[in-house]
Amino acid sequence: MSSPLALEAARRRTFAIISHPDAGKTTLTEHLLLAGGAIRAAGAVRARGENRRARSDWMKIEQERGISVTASVMTFDHDGLMYNLLDTPGHEDFSEDTYRTLTAADAAVMVLDAAKGIEPQTLKLFEVCRLRDIPILTFINKMDREALDPFELLDEIAGKLALDPAPLYWPAGSGLRFRGVLDLRADSFIPYVRNSDEPLPPPTPFRGAGVESYLAPEEIEELSDSAELILGASKTFDPKAFLEGHMTPVFFGSALRHFGVEELLDGLGLFAPPPKPVSASRSAHDTHIAPGEKEVTGFVFKVQANMDPNHRDRIAMLRLCSGKFTRGMKLKVQNTGRQISVNSPIMFFAADRELAEEAYAGDVIGIPNHGVLRVGDSLSETGALRFQGLPNFAPEILRRVRVKDPLKAKHLKRALEGLAEEGVTQLFRPMLGADFIVGAVGQLQFEVMADRLANEFQLEVIFEPSPFAEARWVSGGKAELEDFTGKHRNAMAEDIDQQPVFLAKSSWEVGYVTERFPAIDFHRTRERG
Ligand code: G4P
C-alpha cells in the first residue's frame, strides 16, 4: 500500500502554460482558475495585476510594454487534486527564467492561437520542454474567431514539433460558424452558445436527435465526416506515449468564452503526471529522490523580488521533491551548509498569499529571505542532497556597467550581486580592472535591470558595450587552469560564486582557445551548487 506521503504527492499536478505572446495564456490561466473554483469572476487575475503594478514602480515596464516579466505560482484544490500552475514569462528575452520555471513543472499546456498555429516562441518553449521530457497537452484557443483548418493545425504540430497529435475533441466550424466540439471518445457533442451569460448547455449524444438543436443537418454531416477522417488519420491517445513526450492530446476551445476549459482541466487531472522521482546526488553518489521519501527536500527555481515593496524581501520559490513540509521546519542549504528556519512559508492561492502550514512533493512554497537563498540551491533536512540539472546559461549579451556617481561604486557592487543572486542577470567581475560585466539572455533584461537599480537602489547606471561577446565557465586540472588563467589574465573573470569564467571577444576566439587548450573544458552552462 502507498504511504500517506506518496498518496499526497500523487494528487499533485504541477504544470506550466507555454505560448507565443497573445495566444491567450493569461486568459486561459484565469479561466482555469475559474474552472478550478479558485476565483469567482473572470477579470480577477488582471485586476490583481493592475493592483500589483500600481504598488510597484519597476513593473511599469510590464505595463508599458504590455508583457509579463515576473513568474508566479498559483495553487488551487479541485476535484480532490491539488493543482500548482506555474506562470512563465511570455517575452522571449526571459527564456532563461522560463527554462528554470519549467524545471519545476511536471507537465505543460501549450496554447496555440487557432488562427496562427505554431509561432516562433511556441517552438522555442516547446524545445525546452522536450529537453526535459515534459509531457505536453495542447489547447487550440480562439475557436470563436476565424481559425485555420483543424487538419492543418494538427499537421503543424506533427511537422514542426515532431509530436503525434491525438485530438480528444474535434471542432464544428470556427468564428461565427463555431458550433461546439465533438468529444471523440464519448461521441457526444458539446454545444457552444455565443454571447450567453447562462451556463453552457450540457453535452448531448452526437447520434441522438438532441444534437439537431445545435447543428444544421449539413453541419452534422460535415462534422461526422471530418471526425471519421481524423480518427482514421491520427493515432489514438496513448497515455504512455504522452508521458514519454511523443504524443500530445489536443483540446479545442475559447479561453475567453470559457469554452473547452473544463475539459482541459479534467484532462490535466486525468493525464498529467504527479511528481516523479528527481535525480540528485548525496555525498557524491547519484541517487533518485522519490516523492514519497520521508526527508523533506526541494530546490529553488526562482527568486522573486519586490512582491511586497513595503518589505525589501526576496522570495525564493522552492519546489518540493519529497516529504511532508510543515511550517517552522528547519532546512539546510546544500552548498553553503546554512540552516534556515522556514517560519513564514507562503503559498499562492490565486488572489492571495497565505501561510503554508504544510506542503508536499510537487508543491511550491515561497520562502522570504534576505539573499540567503539562490536559484539552483538544493534544500533538505540533512543538507546532504544536491539536485541536478539547474543550469546557468551562458549569456548572449555582455555589457560593462558603470554608475554615474562614482561615490556609489560600492553600492553598485551590492546591488548587482543581489540581482545576480535572484537570477535576473549574470555578473562577472574581471580579474583586472574595476568595472563589472553583466550578462543577459536578451536586451530587455538590461532595461529591467536599469529600472530596478534606479527605483530600488537609487543608482543611475550606464550600460556600455563590452569588449567581450561570449562567456564560458572553465574547468580542468589545477596546473592546467593556472597556466590558462596566467595566459589570459585580461579575459578572466569570476562569477558570483567565485567560479572562473573566460570572456571571449567572439565565438571564433572560443573555438580557437578550445583547440589550443585541450586540457581545459569550456562550458556554456554551469550547474550551481
Ligand atoms: P497572452 O497572455 O498569451 O499574451 O494572451 P492574453 O491572454 O493576454 O490574450 C491576448 C488577447 O487575445 C487578448 O485580447 C485576449 O482577450 C484575447 N483572447 C484570449 N483568448 C481568446 C479567445 O478564446 N477568443 C478571443 N476571441 N480572444 C481571446 P486583447 O484585446 O489584446 O486584450 P483585452 O483588451 O481583451 O484584455
Side-chain angles (χ1 to χ4, degrees):
M1 228 193 76
S2 297
S3 71
L5 271 180
L7 287 175
E8 276 295 343
R11 66 178 199 99
R12 262 61 187 177
R13 298 290 180 274
T14 303
F15 69 104
I17 303 182
I18 58 170
S19 70
H20 190 86
D22 257 4
K25 191 178 65 179
T26 313
T27 314
L28 182 62
T29 299
E30 194 163 8
H31 283 264
L32 279 171
L33 294 176
L34 202 60
I39 52 174
R40 251 172 250 114
V45 174
R46 200 149 297 201
R48 171 178 162 257
E50 297 294 341
N51 216 336
R52 203 177 52 193
R53 280 177 201 127
R55 290 184 321 192
S56 163
D57 260 342
W58 80 271
M59 286 187 187
K60 271 189 216 140
I61 294 188
E62 280 198 353
Q63 213 167 8
E64 282 163 13
R65 299 264 194 146
I67 55 163
S68 161
V69 292
T70 46
S72 55
V73 181
M74 278 175 267
T75 296
F76 57 98
D77 205 334
H78 175 67
D79 254 1
L81 298 177
M82 191 80 148
Y83 293 85
N84 295 304
L85 167 47
L86 309 179
D87 188 13
T88 52
H91 196 280
E92 63 184 305
D93 280 358
F94 289 82
S95 49
E96 184 179 348
D97 204 359
T98 305
Y99 181 95
R100 294 215 191 101
T101 297
L102 289 173
T103 60
D106 298 318
V109 172
M110 172 169 75
V111 186
L112 304 182
D113 181 330
K116 298 191 173 143
I118 308 273
E119 297 178 83
Q121 184 71 356
T122 335
L123 195 63
K124 265 196 172 176
L125 289 164
F126 168 77
E127 280 161 5
V128 172
C129 291
R130 169 152 288 172
L131 213 63
R132 302 208 50 250
D133 294 327
I134 299 177
I136 294 175
L137 297 97
T138 301
F139 185 77
I140 299 188
N141 190 28
K142 305 198 188 179
M143 288 306 296
D144 59 315
R145 291 214 189 136
E146 279 313 310
L148 296 173
D149 179 347
F151 286 96
E152 202 177 309
L153 284 162
L154 296 198
D155 272 352
E156 277 212 3
I157 296 174
K160 291 193 178 163
L161 309 181
L163 190 65
D164 286 331
L168 302 183
Y169 298 87
W170 196 246
S174 72
L176 291 173
R177 289 189 58 243
F178 184 49
R179 301 283 178 255
V181 295
L182 176 61
D183 179 336
L184 293 171
R185 289 165 305 164
D187 208 27
S188 60
F189 184 72
I190 309 173
Y192 167 73
V193 180
R194 193 177 314 279
N195 298 334
S196 165
D197 288 332
E198 303 285 304
L200 289 165
T204 173
F206 185 50
R207 312 289 157 185
V211 82
E212 285 161 17
S213 339
Y214 305 107
L215 293 171
E218 64 277 10
E219 287 172 329
I220 296 179
E221 199 181 317
E222 198 184 320
L223 181 57
S224 177
D225 287 351
S226 59
E228 197 178 322
L229 205 63
I230 194 64
L231 283 174
S234 61
K235 292 191 181 162
T236 326
F237 179 65
D238 169 9
K240 186 164 170 282
F242 160 69
L243 292 177
E244 286 168 356
H246 308 310
M247 179 175 270
T248 179
V250 181
F251 300 77
F252 291 85
S254 162
L256 191 65
R257 308 275 175 212
H258 199 79
F259 184 81
V261 180
E262 317 259 342
E263 286 74 12
L264 176 66
L265 187 59
D266 289 345
L268 274 162
L270 269 175
F271 310 127
K276 283 192 293 202
V278 187
S279 322
S281 59
R282 194 195 300 269
S283 328
H285 291 292
D286 287 349
T287 175
H288 281 93
I289 303 301
E293 276 184 36
K294 221 164 168 248
E295 184 179 1
V296 174
T297 68
F299 61 85
V300 176
F301 65 94
K302 184 177 175 72
V303 174
Q304 198 158 339
N306 267 13
M307 289 175 81
D308 184 348
N310 296 326
H311 308 102
R312 266 279 176 88
D313 58 350
R314 298 219 189 105
I315 302 207
M317 300 289 183
L318 183 77
R319 148 89 200 217
L320 291 169
C321 298
S322 64
K324 175 183 177 179
F325 169 86
T326 47
R327 188 156 81 86
M329 189 162 218
K330 291 187 172 59
L331 292 176
K332 264 191 187 162
V333 188
Q334 184 267 337
N335 55 341
T336 58
R338 283 182 77 161
Q339 178 163 282
I340 51 168
S341 295
V342 191
N343 295 319
S344 347
I346 297 164
M347 276 177 104
F348 303 84
F349 291 98
D352 301 308
R353 322 156 47 153
E354 287 175 16
L355 279 182
E357 295 301 335
E358 54 180 60
Y360 297 87
D363 287 341
V364 172
I365 55 173
I367 306 181
N369 72 102
H370 296 282
V372 176
L373 295 176
R374 306 251 196 100
V375 169
D377 278 350
S378 300
L379 271 68
S380 59
E381 286 173 87
T382 56
L385 203 79
R386 181 177 152 214
F387 289 102
Q388 294 160 354
L390 279 170
N392 235 354
F393 279 80
E396 291 176 16
I397 311 176
L398 296 172
R399 291 274 182 277
R400 194 183 355 223
V401 54
R402 256 189 334 112
V403 62
K404 281 190 183 160
D405 178 355
L407 293 177
K408 291 192 167 168
K410 236 195 190 143
H411 243 79
L412 177 68
K413 176 174 178 285
R414 237 174 296 139
L416 290 175
E417 281 170 357
L419 293 182
E421 280 164 12
E422 273 176 45
V424 174
T425 38
Q426 298 192 24
L427 181 64
F428 304 109
R429 186 218 297 259
M431 281 173 67
L432 303 177
D435 290 335
F436 287 98
I437 305 272
V438 288
V441 180
Q443 182 59 38
L444 189 64
Q445 272 168 291
F446 289 107
E447 288 172 38
V448 170
M449 198 173 174
D451 212 73
R452 289 192 51 187
L453 287 170
N455 287 322
E456 289 169 38
F457 301 93
Q458 286 73 50
L459 288 170
E460 275 204 72
V461 297
I462 311 168
F463 290 105
E464 294 174 336
S466 134
F468 305 110
E470 304 263 345
R472 293 289 183 274
W473 281 269
V474 290
S475 64
K478 194 164 176 270
E480 285 86 356
L481 260 184
E482 271 173 15
D483 172 55
F484 179 79
T485 306
K487 288 183 173 134
H488 297 93
R489 283 203 181 280
N490 288 329
M492 291 304 296
E494 280 183 348
D495 72 3
I496 49 165
D497 297 316
Q498 285 87 45
Q499 294 301 310
V501 178
F502 172 66
L503 300 172
K505 295 194 176 64
S506 62
S507 50
W508 178 85
E509 193 186 3
V510 176
Y512 179 74
V513 296
T514 311
E515 255 178 47
R516 280 199 50 212
F517 293 86
I520 301 289
D521 291 318
F522 296 86
H523 311 272
R524 277 183 164 275
T525 60
R526 180 173 89 71
E527 283 192 16
R528 294 230 173 161

